[in-house]
Amino acid sequence: FDFAKEMKRLGFKTFIHDDCLFRRVDARGDITVAIHVDDGIGAASSKRVVDEFLKAFKYPISESGPLKYCLGMRVLTNSKTGVMSLDAAADIKTAAKHYGCQRSRRHDTPMEARLDVSKDQCPTDAEEIAAMSKRPYRGVIGTGQYFVNIRPDCQYAVSKLASFTNNPGLVHWKHALRILTHMDYSDKKMYFGTNRHNVKRHAAVRC
């Protein structure tokens, strides 16, 4: 069905830079809906606004209750302070275990200060290249690139090592694992504060 057309009928407008993000502000209240394939997240100024939207939407749609997980990210909300946090601790721990670095030495930073990595450290002979081909370097870097969405503190380190995916050396491999190890041990969260309108997230919806 044409989701965008139905949202427009209900008075929603899309954001300029994201066609999958809809918002409506009127006398009834403020409601925002974000869609990803057939899943969505709704945030509104009151439960009444959510209920009205679900009733008015002409296609089958269900509410799965308060938002706790989204695309593998855990969502925590402090109702007293209005602060929301996102983290992917469980998925990061699973990834660290998958790549065998869950028990590595703890690192307080994703990368050494003034780290010098270059193409000079890439393997040049067939034996070294063959040995490195058995290590899932691209997988570790790809995993890091996904997690930096909520771990921007690791963005620079991941980007720097991503430039060696075509022919990584052992040095690059060790530093790539260090990033994942740091993510696993540090367990940092991304926080979002409240605003003066006191808009709260109320539900996850499935279309």
Side-chain angles (χ1 to χ4, degrees):
F1 62 88
D2 193 334
F3 185 90
K5 185 176 181 180
E6 174 62 7
M7 294 296 280
K8 184 177 181 180
R9 183 185 73 81
L10 295 176
F12 284 81
K13 294 182 179 180
T14 57
F15 282 62
I16 296 175
H17 300 294
D18 193 338
D19 292 334
C20 294
L21 192 57
F22 303 83
R23 189 183 186 191
R24 185 187 69 195
V25 181
D26 56 24
R28 291 168 292 184
D30 187 343
I31 178 171
T32 301
V33 178
I35 296 298
H36 178 75
V37 190
D38 63 345
D39 289 321
I41 299 172
S45 53
S46 71
K47 185 65 166 60
R48 178 183 56 79
V49 175
V50 175
D51 293 338
E52 183 275 331
F53 165 70
L54 294 174
K55 184 177 180 180
F57 200 83
K58 71 178 184 179
Y59 297 106
I61 188 170
S62 61
E63 179 183 356
S64 58
L67 182 62
K68 296 181 179 180
Y69 284 91
C70 177
L71 302 178
M73 294 179 288
R74 181 175 59 169
V75 182
L76 298 175
T77 302
N78 187 319
S79 59
K80 293 183 179 180
T81 63
V83 174
M84 175 187 292
S85 68
L86 297 177
D87 74 74
D91 283 355
I92 289 175
K93 191 166 294 294
T94 297
K97 183 177 181 180
H98 176 74
Y99 291 112
C101 59
Q102 79 278 18
R103 295 181 179 177
S104 299
R105 182 170 63 88
R106 176 170 183 163
H107 296 289
D108 294 325
T109 60
M111 178 179 280
E112 294 177 9
R114 297 180 293 278
L115 177 66
D116 181 23
V117 287
S118 67
K119 291 185 177 179
D120 293 336
Q121 296 160 328
C122 294
T124 54
D125 63 69
E127 185 176 347
E128 291 179 342
I129 294 175
M132 281 305 303
S133 67
K134 299 177 182 179
R135 301 179 186 272
Y137 186 82
R138 287 175 181 267
V140 173
I141 294 299
T143 298
Q145 289 174 328
Y146 173 76
F147 289 135
V148 295
N149 289 311
I150 55 173
R151 289 298 305 269
D153 57 310
C154 299
Q155 176 70 64
Y156 176 77
V158 173
S159 297
K160 190 174 183 68
L161 290 171
S163 61
F164 304 104
T165 52
N166 287 333
N167 185 29
L170 185 59
V171 171
H172 307 127
W173 168 251
K174 290 181 178 179
H175 287 294
L177 291 181
R178 175 194 172 111
I179 298 173
L180 196 54
T181 300
H182 169 70
M183 287 184 177
D184 184 27
Y185 276 109
S186 55
D187 189 23
K188 293 181 180 178
K189 298 178 176 62
M190 179 177 284
Y191 291 91
F192 299 86
T194 187
N195 60 39
R196 66 179 183 275
H197 298 299
N198 195 31
V199 176
K200 302 176 182 178
R201 67 98 180 91
H202 276 284
V205 298
R206 179 175 292 277
C207 310

